[in-house]
Amino acid sequence: MFGMIALKLVVGLLGLLLVVRLIGKKSLSEITPFDLIYTLVLGGILEESLYDDKVNIGHLLLALALWAVMIYIIEQVVQKNERINRWIKGEAAVLVKNGVLNLKEISKNHIEMEQLREMLRQAECFSLENAKHVVLENAGQISVLKESEDNKVMTILLVDQGNIQKKVLQTHGLKESWLREKLKEEGHTNLKDIVYVEWSEERGFYVVTKSETEHRIYRIDG
């Protein structure tokens, strides 16, 4: 029993190493979600077979061989066909281009403004106004080119897709009436036309309306 489990572990390890070789020399940050599926499914195959006496080493070898062949065929196909490659592995999405918010890509990738702000902060960009170009990479991380490296002002989100963030206002001692009055002074009377509003004491308001956004797909690779 112990010997069979040990043998399955050795075979499983060799199978995982084979998958890594088939994926290629990628760092973890470059592995796409589809590449991750390869490894997760293979791990599931090994897990199910490890303690199941009905699954012998021959069954495991057959499963690993079939999985390796499938991976190899898929990798060969996607390398030779750009359309299939984009369909299976996806492509980089331009969320902000030249400071303009791209709502089509944001909606397509199911990103909320709070998530976008969080990703920007992780890239040490604390204001959407300071983001010149933002690209969502295949692996899920973002690449950010800032307008200025000196702009380190922290902003708060006050309006998201036409909805006032009341809890944010409350925690900062601000009133909804104050926000509406300030927006009115800047010519914004209809909240439904506003996509995004951020504010800081140092820089004031940054407002993005629907007319100031884009709805396009930009291809930057391939």
Side-chain angles (χ1 to χ4, degrees):
M1 179 67 179
F2 177 77
M4 181 57 68
I5 292 176
L7 182 58
K8 288 180 179 179
L9 279 172
V10 171
V11 173
L13 176 60
L14 293 175
L16 287 171
L17 291 174
L18 177 61
V19 170
V20 172
R21 293 296 297 174
L22 289 174
I23 291 176
K25 296 180 179 180
K26 300 179 181 180
S27 67
L28 289 177
S29 63
E30 294 172 333
I31 293 177
T32 67
F34 197 75
D35 294 331
L36 184 60
I37 290 173
Y38 291 160
T39 310
L40 291 178
V41 172
L42 186 55
I45 293 173
L46 179 59
E47 180 184 4
E48 291 295 324
S49 66
L50 196 58
Y51 299 107
D52 190 344
D53 296 335
K54 295 180 181 180
V55 179
N56 58 41
I57 195 67
H59 295 148
L60 180 57
L61 286 171
L62 177 61
L64 293 177
L66 287 174
W67 192 238
V69 170
M70 289 172 60
I71 292 174
Y72 179 78
I73 292 174
I74 292 174
E75 288 293 334
Q76 291 299 309
V77 170
V78 299
Q79 288 178 13
K80 296 178 180 179
N81 191 305
E82 291 183 6
R83 180 177 296 179
I84 295 178
N85 189 2
R86 291 194 301 270
W87 182 75
I88 292 179
K89 295 194 173 185
E91 59 183 324
V94 179
L95 306 182
V96 177
K97 186 174 186 294
N98 288 321
V100 179
L101 204 60
N102 192 339
L103 290 185
K104 184 166 186 175
E105 287 286 25
I106 288 175
S107 176
K108 177 183 174 183
N109 289 279
H110 308 289
I111 296 175
E112 298 177 355
M113 297 311 298
E114 291 180 353
Q115 292 175 310
L116 177 59
R117 284 171 55 83
E118 179 182 351
M119 290 188 290
L120 288 174
R121 288 194 296 267
Q122 291 174 353
E124 297 187 358
C125 182
F126 299 96
S127 167
L128 181 60
E129 184 180 16
N130 193 37
K132 183 175 183 179
H133 299 294
V134 180
V135 178
L136 178 66
E137 306 292 354
N138 280 349
Q141 76 275 21
I142 65 168
S143 301
V144 181
L145 179 62
K146 306 170 193 174
E147 292 281 0
S148 171
E149 291 292 338
D150 298 327
N151 185 355
K152 300 292 184 181
V153 174
M154 174 71 77
T155 64
I156 58 176
L157 177 63
L158 297 184
V159 178
D160 181 1
Q161 299 287 352
N163 298 311
I164 293 177
Q165 306 301 292
K166 296 181 180 179
K167 290 184 178 180
V168 177
L169 286 170
Q170 291 172 1
T171 58
H172 290 272
L174 303 173
K175 295 183 178 180
E176 183 176 337
S177 58
W178 166 84
L179 173 60
R180 290 181 180 274
E181 184 62 30
K182 290 295 184 182
L183 291 176
K184 187 177 180 180
E185 289 176 3
E186 297 197 13
H188 305 291
T189 57
N190 188 355
L191 281 176
K192 296 303 179 183
D193 291 333
I194 299 176
V195 175
Y196 177 90
V197 176
E198 68 179 27
W199 177 83
S200 67
E201 292 185 4
E202 297 89 345
R203 302 182 67 86
F205 287 93
Y206 174 62
V207 182
V208 178
T209 62
K210 291 181 180 179
S211 62
E212 296 170 324
T213 62
E214 285 188 328
H215 295 76
R216 298 182 58 183
I217 301 294
Y218 290 103
R219 184 170 297 162
I220 58 175
D221 297 314

